[in-house]
Amino acid sequence: MQRSCTSLVGRRQLRTRGFCSSSSRAANTGGDDKIIASVVFERLPVVIPKIDPVVYAFQEFSFRWQQQYRREYPEKFLKKSDARGKGDYQIDYVPAPRVTEADKTNDKKSLERALDRRLYLLLYGTAYGSPSGKPTWHFPEKVYESEGTLRKCAESALQSVVGDLSHTYFVGNAPMGHIVAQPSDSNQDLPSFKRFFFKSQVIATNKFNIGRCDDFVWVTKDDLLEYFPEQSDYLKKMIIS
């Protein structure tokens, strides 16, 4: 299956804006253009990211510098401190591996990979505005109809894919950004529309039953930009991680 698609909206003229102040303002845009609610569904890092070598070297230097001027405690106090943690209640802690089987096999359908990074859900299937109705990679989406707000429309879009929103959390009521798509000179038949992006996060689970698509992947931000090369600059600014 081809990894990168033409774009989120096909080859057409785009006007992008980074932020929108409210869902009600976004819905009341006027005109006959369709409004699309897309969901940037992310899994937050599970483990602490590795420290950058430069930062680690600075912390090591700072520790050694502080050791030169540290306060010396009485010997009796130090011996009591060393005795703590001994006894039947002591537990040998063995940290879990940072590299999982999903990392080794490059299983992009699993959430148990890239534990120190954010992962984003992409679907492969028919998306609104795709050229000739061909399947493309896209975020979960839904055309705005009679929902009370754009956020409710975004919730419906995600619910149609994962089936249950009990392990999801929508960050705020306003979209995090939007794209205005208009037909280009070479593709006058393609519809014009406005796509609003909402952020949602995975909560307390490591598996979803993804449906209503031909395929899906969980990708890092670097991989995400490769799927959408024409919108990489905009997505890089919109998705901060």
Side-chain angles (χ1 to χ4, degrees), residues 133-187:
K134 296 180 179 179
T136 59
W137 288 103
H138 62 280
F139 296 105
E141 65 177 26
K142 185 181 184 297
V143 178
Y144 177 78
E145 296 174 344
S146 58
E147 294 85 0
T149 62
L150 268 179
R151 166 165 167 168
K152 290 186 179 298
C153 181
E155 290 176 351
S156 298
L158 186 58
Q159 186 174 11
S160 66
V161 174
V162 301
D164 184 12
L165 298 181
S166 59
H167 292 288
T168 67
Y169 171 72
F170 275 79
V171 183
N173 294 316
M176 59 191 297
H178 76 278
I179 290 177
V180 179
Q182 296 177 340
S184 62
D185 296 335
S186 59
N187 291 311

Side-chain angles (χ1 to χ4, degrees), residues 179-236:
I179 290 177
V180 179
Q182 296 177 340
S184 62
D185 296 335
S186 59
N187 291 311
Q188 290 292 336
D189 295 335
L190 294 177
S192 59
F193 59 88
K194 300 178 178 68
R195 186 187 302 276
F196 293 84
F197 297 93
F198 286 80
K199 178 185 284 190
S200 182
Q201 297 174 340
V202 176
I203 300 297
T205 188
N206 57 8
K207 187 177 181 180
F208 286 97
N209 294 321
I210 308 297
R212 298 192 65 178
C213 62
D214 298 333
D215 198 5
F216 71 93
V217 290
W218 291 95
V219 295
T220 62
K221 181 179 178 179
D222 294 336
D223 295 333
L224 176 68
L225 300 179
E226 295 180 5
Y227 280 86
F228 306 113
E230 295 187 2
Q231 280 75 48
S232 60
D233 291 339
Y234 175 70
L235 293 176
K236 188 182 301 183

Side-chain angles (χ1 to χ4, degrees), residues 29-224:
T29 55
D32 297 329
D33 295 345
K34 290 288 186 179
I35 297 177
I36 314 299
S38 295
V39 183
V40 181
F41 192 35
E42 68 175 357
R43 187 221 65 191
L44 297 176
V46 178
V47 299
I48 299 176
K50 291 184 178 180
I51 301 177
D52 186 270
V54 177
V55 177
Y56 180 82
F58 176 76
Q59 292 179 347
E60 186 72 13
F61 168 78
S62 299
F63 175 77
R64 293 181 179 180
W65 180 266
Q66 293 172 4
Q67 288 296 95
Q68 299 179 23
Y69 305 99
R70 72 183 187 278
R71 179 179 178 180
E72 294 187 3
Y73 292 93
E75 190 69 21
K76 293 176 62 177
F77 178 81
L78 294 177
K79 288 183 178 180
K80 290 183 179 180
S81 178
D82 294 339
R84 293 183 61 186
K86 295 181 180 179
D88 297 337
Y89 57 87
Q90 185 177 3
I91 300 176
D92 294 331
Y93 172 72
V94 179
R98 298 175 66 92
V99 179
T100 64
E101 288 297 326
D103 286 314
K104 296 177 182 177
T105 59
N106 196 28
D107 183 7
K108 293 187 177 181
K109 295 183 183 296
S110 174
L111 278 170
E112 298 185 12
R113 59 180 291 268
L115 300 181
D116 59 345
R117 304 192 63 184
R118 297 171 186 247
L119 293 180
Y120 301 91
L121 176 63
L122 291 181
L123 309 177
Y124 187 78
T126 303
Y128 186 85
S130 59
S132 303
K134 296 180 179 179
T136 59
W137 288 103
H138 62 280
F139 296 105
E141 65 177 26
K142 185 181 184 297
V143 178
Y144 177 78
E145 296 174 344
S146 58
E147 294 85 0
T149 62
L150 268 179
R151 166 165 167 168
K152 290 186 179 298
C153 181
E155 290 176 351
S156 298
L158 186 58
Q159 186 174 11
S160 66
V161 174
V162 301
D164 184 12
L165 298 181
S166 59
H167 292 288
T168 67
Y169 171 72
F170 275 79
V171 183
N173 294 316
M176 59 191 297
H178 76 278
I179 290 177
V180 179
Q182 296 177 340
S184 62
D185 296 335
S186 59
N187 291 311
Q188 290 292 336
D189 295 335
L190 294 177
S192 59
F193 59 88
K194 300 178 178 68
R195 186 187 302 276
F196 293 84
F197 297 93
F198 286 80
K199 178 185 284 190
S200 182
Q201 297 174 340
V202 176
I203 300 297
T205 188
N206 57 8
K207 187 177 181 180
F208 286 97
N209 294 321
I210 308 297
R212 298 192 65 178
C213 62
D214 298 333
D215 198 5
F216 71 93
V217 290
W218 291 95
V219 295
T220 62
K221 181 179 178 179
D222 294 336
D223 295 333
L224 176 68

